[in-house]
Amino acid sequence: MGMRFDHEDGAKLSKLESTKVEMVEMQKENERLKMILAKIAGDYRSLQTRFFDVFQKEQEKNNGHRTQAITPEDHEKEEEEEPELVSLRLGTNSSLPKEEKMIKNDDKKDEDLTLGLGDNMFEDAKQEEVSQQSQMKKPRVSVRARCDAPTMNDGCQWRKYGQKIAKGNPCPRAYYRCTVAPACPVRKQVQRCAEDKSILITTYEGTHNHPLPITATAMASTTSAAAGMLVSGSSTTTNFNLSDNSKPITLDLTSPQTPQLNRYYYSSSSSSSLNFSSYIPRSNNPLTESITKAITSDPSFRSVVAAAISSYIDTGESFSLGQEGNGCASTLLTNFSAPSSNAQHGNNLMYFQPPFLPLASSKNAAASVLETRENIN
DNA sequence: CGATTTTGACCCGCGC
DNA sequence: GCGCGGGTCAAAATCG
């Protein structure tokens, strides 16, 4: 067949070559992103340490009083608007719950909110107060991920303390609390998506009062980065309906069709299928706003999220349809080297194991995954 | 036998 | 005040 048309063979060969080159470039890019991730994760942790110091000092100094350089009005609102939620989505594409679909229409607004935040200000005091505040606020982070196991392994230890059937979803919602440290206030809710039962929605609430296990650190960095972006928001660009504070702030990390930030991070990566957009209902607090600006305008911080996904993509090739059953039982993040030891070498930074992200390279593969899982459920 | 899960009871906020 | 729904408690059951 091919013998008849040498030029066809030649064309195939050259295409093969260009594909190879492309792959090499992508690998390089991946390495670079991992380097960035290592740096950011390290920075994040040192910032966290510093924050805890400051937080403790403030606690002692004010004996339980919150110090905020904001108006009393803001303060009041802040307390009233406790329930804020950050939501991350991993490995979803089509089946969004209805209310989230509605939110999703506002992608452009989201761009304004997240990318349009310009000012850089890491003014110490403000930063500290804001961090402290986010501590107080019991931030909620929701992660949507394809997962067949009852719960995702996120590196922390959890103890189940309840289960309920929530209205509007036949799947039970399970309640867990963190048992890594005795008095850790962090809780999580786990529930399958009603529309697509292969999607597991995990909502974390609160802040750990202990160092995270190494396997959990990367995830925490990711979600904290997201939370940092979302806990506040820009009052100038926010015009969502805010009367209902139970409305989640949503950060969407998944679907293939909206590559805004995807493009931002993965300019040459045609194989990735990530959507990363955020929805920020509101901010009344100039301080949180400041910190948010600082965070969101820091490309490297944002890269944490992107790089995490990138890492997954990097290893995504080993995704195996045969491992569905225990996919989520495997560690979400592995091989995350400690900064103190060898992070500066820039290798083995962080890998998402493939269990829950049917991302990327092959649409057919993703489709098969879905089919297989349908059968399981 | 300690840790974890299960599960019905209980509590609390919210809307009517 | 009442019912509903979501979240938590805690005793019993189960697991490793």
Side-chain angles (χ1 to χ4, degrees):
Chain A
M1 288 201 172
M3 297 199 295
R4 282 182 294 165
F5 303 104
D6 285 349
H7 59 280
E8 269 191 20
D9 287 342
K12 282 179 184 171
L13 278 174
S14 72
K15 187 167 184 185
L16 187 66
E17 283 307 309
S18 69
T19 307
K20 279 181 183 172
V21 169
E22 204 175 316
M23 281 177 63
V24 169
E25 280 173 5
M26 284 174 61
Q27 278 171 350
K28 281 180 189 167
E29 188 179 349
N30 234 322
E31 286 304 312
R32 218 177 54 239
L33 288 168
K34 284 181 192 171
M35 298 269 280
I36 293 171
L37 173 62
K39 185 179 184 313
I40 301 308
D43 289 350
Y44 168 78
R45 259 178 279 179
S46 74
L47 187 62
Q48 195 179 38
T49 308
R50 207 176 124 211
F51 156 67
F52 276 119
D53 288 346
V54 173
F55 178 61
Q56 273 184 340
K57 279 177 198 162
E58 286 291 310
Q59 285 279 64
E60 288 165 16
K61 208 195 298 173
N62 300 298
N63 195 20
H65 286 100
R66 288 208 270 175
T67 54
Q68 297 176 2
I70 57 176
T71 68
E73 192 186 351
D74 284 333
H75 192 168
E76 202 175 323
K77 281 183 182 171
E78 203 53 54
E79 289 190 339
E80 284 170 5
E81 289 150 14
E82 177 82 14
E84 299 193 17
L85 177 96
V86 176
S87 172
L88 289 171
R89 287 191 179 179
L90 307 172
T92 64
N93 43 26
S94 54
S95 51
L96 298 173
K98 350 154 192 157
E99 76 271 15
E100 285 176 306
K101 271 182 182 156
M102 292 173 64
I103 300 173
K104 218 175 157 37
N105 291 333
D106 275 333
D107 277 349
K108 288 199 179 91
K109 237 179 269 172
D110 304 331
E111 273 310 88
D112 289 346
L113 288 170
T114 57
L115 295 179
L117 299 170
D119 309 2
N120 63 321
M121 48 188 81
F122 252 88
E123 295 166 31
D124 30 6
K126 285 187 178 181
Q127 174 187 341
E128 286 155 10
E129 278 172 354
V130 167
S131 300
Q132 174 179 345
Q133 190 184 29
S134 58
Q135 271 286 303
M136 300 288 212
K137 279 166 67 76
K138 276 222 243 171
R140 295 206 298 162
V141 178
S142 172
V143 180
R144 296 168 62 94
R146 292 209 181 279
C147 180
D148 296 313
T151 177
M152 285 198 314
N153 186 337
D154 46 26
C156 283
Q157 279 185 299
W158 301 93
R159 177 179 173 165
K160 191 175 182 179
Y161 66 90
Q163 178 167 310
K164 273 270 174 173
I165 300 286
K167 201 186 169 190
N169 190 340
C171 308
R173 176 183 299 166
Y175 300 89
Y176 296 85
R177 67 169 45 114
C178 177
T179 58
V180 172
C184 181
V186 174
R187 302 186 173 194
K188 76 171 178 181
Q189 298 178 5
V190 178
Q191 185 174 33
R192 295 218 162 268
C193 177
E195 284 80 4
D196 183 348
K197 297 200 170 70
S198 69
I199 296 175
L200 197 67
I201 304 169
T202 308
T203 303
Y204 299 87
E205 181 174 323
T207 310
H208 293 277
N209 66 353
H210 53 83
L212 288 171
I214 201 72
T215 49
T217 306
M219 187 60 173
S221 300
T222 304
T223 53
S224 294
M229 287 185 234
L230 298 168
V231 151
S232 61
S234 163
S235 55
T236 55
T237 53
T238 311
N239 48 6
F240 291 87
N241 177 4
L242 303 170
S243 55
D244 176 11
N245 15 343
S246 71
K247 273 256 166 65
I249 307 170
T250 306
L251 176 66
D252 193 336
L253 268 181
T254 52
S255 46
Q257 58 270 47
T258 19
Q260 302 157 348
L261 294 184
N262 193 19
R263 207 186 317 128
Y264 188 70
Y265 289 119
Y266 299 101
S267 50
S268 66
S269 173
S270 57
S271 68
S272 67
S273 54
L274 294 169
N275 174 33
F276 182 178
S277 53
S278 58
Y279 308 92
I280 305 175
R282 95 149 87 195
S283 164
N284 289 303
N285 184 336
L287 294 181
T288 44
E289 188 177 337
S290 302
I291 189 74
T292 301
K293 284 179 182 175
I295 290 173
T296 53
S297 62
D298 179 357
S300 32
F301 212 127
R302 302 177 65 154
S303 298
V304 171
V305 179
I309 308 304
S310 161
S311 300
Y312 164 70
I313 293 169
D314 201 23
T315 56
E317 298 303 326
S318 62
F319 185 80
S320 143
L321 296 179
Q323 73 176 95
E324 321 269 35
N326 60 358
C328 299
S330 59
T331 312
L332 174 64
L333 301 165
T334 58
N335 232 348
F336 186 73
S337 61
S340 53
S341 55
N342 57 354
Q344 55 268 52
H345 298 151
N347 46 12
N348 284 341
L349 296 174
M350 166 173 161
Y351 296 107
F352 275 92
Q353 283 195 338
F356 58 91
L357 286 179
L359 274 179
S361 33
S362 162
K363 280 182 185 171
N364 289 337
S368 326
V369 171
L370 283 175
E371 282 171 23
T372 315
R373 287 174 178 174
E374 292 277 314
N375 294 336
I376 288 175
N377 293 320

